[in-house]
Amino acid sequence: MVTGGAGFLGGWLCRHLLDDGCEVVAVDNLVTGTPAVVEELETHPHFTFVHADVTRVLDVQGRVDQVMHLASPASPVHYAALPVETMLVGSQGTMHALDLAQVNGARFVLASTSEVYGDPLVHPQPESYWGNVNPVGPRSVYDEAKRFAEALTTAYRTSRGVDTGIARIFNTYGPGMRADDGRMIPAFMTQALKGEPITVTGDGSQTRSLCYVTDTVDGLCALAASDHPGPVNLGGGDEVTVLELAETVCRLAGSSSPITFVDLPEDDPRVRRPDTSRAAELLGWKPQVPVEEGLRRTLEWFEEQLRSAA
Ligand code: NAD
């Protein structure tokens, strides 16, 4: 079972599991997911879609042997618009997904985030770092919901014997991201392809480490196949500044869009790079798709979307 299966990462994960021969049930309320993802997955005979909100009781027919809990708004634009819903899906939604795993004796994997490190004071970030999160800032609904979800997952493991794993996912990108979700890759790509100014926040010197979506999905599946509790960082190792990224996207798109600078959002992390040695040692995982290759594939996808919308 994949909660959030109609979303960007969830859709890729469902496709991967179906290709692996699994029966997949996706549960999603489509609050930020896309019906087109579900329509495509529904062409597969081993896929079932349940349109439901996981903050209500989760009732799935049949035996479940793996619960991959991805349901949650994930982009700053979305969780700013859905603050209470984001807190509830991280808390109550996670509890229902854990209950389902407990009843079925299933392995449970939580899609947590690098945002649990907040604006990190340790760089790169190992899993042992506890983070630097503003509990009342504009990002707190997401960061604290995920921190709560990690604590709850740990409590179900230690006190209820549920077989759990926690993945801390860093910036993941690829075809299928929503053009309007406010994250920098879709924003830069659509701006570059339309010849509009590229809006870099702050002076663009803040850094991010990007991971192509198939690599993140491979990491999630490797964690699911293990019995490791995590947390395990899943993320790309090549740290780039936001300005460098904007320039690379422009170059790959052959765009002459000018780069403009807009205000840095409050509490925006200055740096972000995962220490992925734990994932390498325990799961034999490391990202395979070089950033330029992943960006090319993603650009092609956005180009196609813009063509078909024209
Ligand atoms: P997304 O918004 O594309 O997908 C999230 C999905 O969850 C959507 O389909 C949405 O409709 C669904 N959802 C939200 N609330 C729900 C609820 N109450 N009940 C049922 N479904 C609900 O986001 P994404 O980028 O695919 O992220 C998926 C997961 O991975 C999220 O939990 C996110 O926090 C985590 N994550 C993603 C990234 C990334 O870079 N994409 C990084 C770190 C963590």
Side-chain angles (χ1 to χ4, degrees):
M1 194 191 82
V2 179
T3 75
F8 161 56
L9 256 177
W12 276 91
L13 176 61
C14 288
R15 250 171 258 128
H16 179 100
L17 293 168
L18 289 165
D19 288 347
D20 258 10
C22 300
E23 290 271 341
V24 177
V25 179
V27 182
D28 202 300
N29 66 354
L30 298 178
V31 69
T32 60
T34 18
V37 170
V38 179
E39 278 158 32
E40 186 219 314
L41 289 166
E42 275 181 330
T43 60
H44 202 291
H46 295 139
F47 178 79
T48 308
F49 180 63
V50 178
H51 189 176
D53 182 338
V54 298
T55 64
R56 298 168 193 275
V57 174
L58 248 184
D59 185 17
V60 174
Q61 302 299 311
R63 210 184 89 70
V64 170
D65 53 19
Q66 230 173 60
V67 178
M68 309 290 284
H69 182 44
L70 276 70
S72 170
S75 89
V77 168
H78 288 151
Y79 59 73
L82 300 161
V84 175
E85 291 82 351
T86 302
M87 297 291 305
L88 286 176
V89 75
S91 51
Q92 225 163 307
T94 302
M95 183 180 79
H96 290 146
L98 280 160
D99 284 340
L100 188 79
Q102 187 180 357
V103 166
N104 283 276
R107 169 93 169 143
F108 172 92
V109 171
L110 173 70
S112 185
T113 169
S114 57
E115 300 290 336
V116 299
Y117 300 124
D119 189 7
L121 304 176
V122 170
H123 190 66
Q125 295 82 55
E127 291 86 351
S128 55
Y129 177 50
W130 293 353
N132 177 38
V133 172
N134 175 359
V136 292
R139 304 173 78 94
S140 64
V141 290
Y142 182 65
D143 303 5
E144 298 291 13
K146 290 290 184 178
R147 288 168 70 96
F148 179 93
E150 288 199 12
L152 190 67
T153 300
T154 306
Y156 268 68
R157 182 178 187 90
T158 53
S159 73
R160 301 193 177 179
V162 180
D163 177 16
T164 61
I166 297 171
R168 289 187 181 151
I169 303 168
F170 284 64
N171 290 63
T172 296
Y173 71 101
M177 297 185 90
R178 281 173 54 165
D180 61 352
D181 83 359
R183 288 186 266 194
M184 63 182 172
I185 297 276
F188 291 171
M189 289 193 172
T190 42
Q191 289 165 339
L193 291 168
K194 288 179 173 174
E196 294 170 356
I198 310 251
T199 48
V200 167
T201 54
D203 62 2
S205 63
Q206 65 277 24
T207 67
R208 297 294 182 267
S209 303
L210 299 175
C211 193
Y212 190 66
V213 63
T214 52
D215 283 328
T216 301
V217 165
D218 284 346
L220 284 173
C221 291
L223 180 61
S226 78
D227 58 2
H228 199 274
V232 177
N233 286 338
L234 298 176
D238 298 324
E239 185 179 5
V240 291
T241 69
V242 170
L243 180 57
E244 279 165 354
L245 183 69
E247 288 166 349
T248 306
V249 168
C250 256
R251 174 170 55 79
L252 294 176
S255 168
S256 50
S257 287
I259 291 182
T260 56
F261 296 90
V262 297
D263 286 348
L264 196 65
E266 200 183 327
D267 294 343
D268 197 52
R270 288 289 318 155
V271 287
R272 224 3 111 58
R273 174 154 60 98
D275 176 340
T276 51
S277 42
R278 184 179 283 181
E281 275 160 37
L282 295 172
L283 309 175
W285 178 87
K286 67 175 185 5
Q288 302 295 319
V289 181
V291 173
E292 285 220 1
E293 172 58 26
L295 289 176
R296 264 199 199 92
R297 291 184 205 171
T298 312
L299 257 173
E300 273 168 27
W301 185 82
F302 275 112
E303 217 167 356
E304 212 177 290
Q305 299 303 302
L306 287 176
R307 251 199 314 270
S308 52

